[in-house]
Amino acid sequence: GDSVTQMEGPVTLSEEAFLTINCTYTATGYPSLFWYVQYPGEGLQLLLKATKADDKGSNKGFEATYRKETTSFHLEKGSVQVSDSAVYFCALGDYGGSQGNLIFGKGTKLSVKP
Amino acid sequence: EPEVTQTPSHQVTQMGQEVILRCVPISNHLYFYWYRQILGQKVEFLVSFYNNEISEKSEIFDDQFSVERPDGSNFTLKIRSTKLEDSAMYFCARRRRSTDTQYFGPGTRLTVL
């Protein structure tokens, strides 16, 4: 079945460092790909998404490109801030033959130090 | 991003008791989902609901679980006889027909003692 694999955390960075969180997926169809963020004590917020190959999602300085050839959707940010400290979840949703329940990775906890 | 509301924010219950978790709908959202997140683990799909019927459910969603949308109002998840392992954060999500994006509520933290 479909699955998502994320790099293990936690990740600790200094402010203004470059961030990459790796995400790869396995899917039989043509899923949409998402990054959700969970700040401490809060629910899941959509960070960005991409719906087809070569699409780039971006929001709040974060970017991820849907790479079909490598089945990847890595999250990047050029300069992280303390306020980016959160847990980041990669997810896929395949709406081809279903209602599109999301399949999540295990999450990567990011801590940014001043 | 559409606001999604869930009640209660935190529920503490004794093992074997019934609990009902509620999600407040937005009128133009047709698809509803419940997910759960056991502490420190990944978010897992439980069930999807469309047009007042379950459309998909996971292996986790056994006979102890049920969902309904009484009177077209709140979307509820009921756990009939809670177990210790049901302790988790439960998230409701909604989606419009025209998009693939699911919007999540803030969650209900369920603690089973």
Side-chain angles (χ1 to χ4, degrees), chain B:
Chain B
E1 184 174 315
E3 183 178 330
V4 177
T5 307
Q6 289 184 242
T7 59
S9 57
H10 190 191
Q11 175 90 44
V12 181
T13 189
Q14 296 291 324
M15 191 169 56
Q17 295 296 305
E18 175 184 283
V19 295
I20 297 177
L21 311 182
R22 291 183 172 80
C23 179
V24 179
I26 294 174
S27 60
N28 61 345
H29 283 66
L30 297 179
Y31 298 90
F32 299 91
Y33 306 81
W34 282 102
Y35 295 82
R36 80 171 184 191
Q37 182 185 28
I38 295 172
L39 185 63
Q41 298 187 26
K42 68 177 178 179
V43 179
E44 301 172 293
F45 167 73
L46 291 177
V47 64
S48 59
F49 193 82
Y50 169 70
N51 204 25
N52 291 325
E53 290 184 351
I54 291 175
S55 50
E56 284 186 81
K57 58 183 180 179
S58 71
E59 293 176 353
I60 303 168
F61 195 86
D62 61 22
D63 292 344
Q64 291 299 313
F65 291 88
S66 62
V67 290
E68 62 178 8
R69 197 175 177 196
D71 305 320
S73 58
N74 294 349
F75 176 50
T76 63
L77 174 70
K78 182 191 294 185
I79 308 175
R80 290 191 182 82
S81 179
T82 50
K83 302 188 271 293
L84 295 176
E85 54 265 36
D86 293 327
S87 294
M89 199 74 168
Y90 289 82
F91 293 105
C92 165
R94 301 90 163 273
R95 178 173 72 89
R96 289 192 296 267
R97 192 209 308 266
S98 59
T99 179
D100 58 3
T101 301
Q102 295 183 27
Y103 296 98
F104 283 75
T108 293
R109 180 170 297 283
L110 176 65
T111 302
V112 182
L113 303 176

Side-chain angles (χ1 to χ4, degrees), chain A residues 27-99:
Chain A
T28 53
Y30 301 92
S32 296
L33 300 175
F34 306 85
W35 277 100
Y36 282 84
V37 58
Q38 186 178 33
Y39 297 103
E42 298 185 14
L44 296 167
Q45 298 178 26
L46 177 67
L47 181 60
L48 54 84
K49 70 172 189 178
T51 56
K52 61 183 188 298
D54 299 326
D55 271 2
K56 178 187 282 188
S58 61
N59 186 26
K60 299 180 182 180
F62 291 90
E63 292 183 341
T65 301
Y66 190 140
R67 301 282 188 204
K68 193 167 186 291
E69 64 276 15
T70 54
T71 62
S72 64
F73 193 55
H74 304 321
L75 182 68
E76 296 182 336
K77 186 174 185 182
S79 176
V80 294
Q81 306 299 313
V82 172
S83 56
D84 294 327
S85 298
V87 180
Y88 293 81
F89 292 93
C90 184
L92 70 81
D94 192 340
Y95 296 86
S98 71
Q99 303 307 326

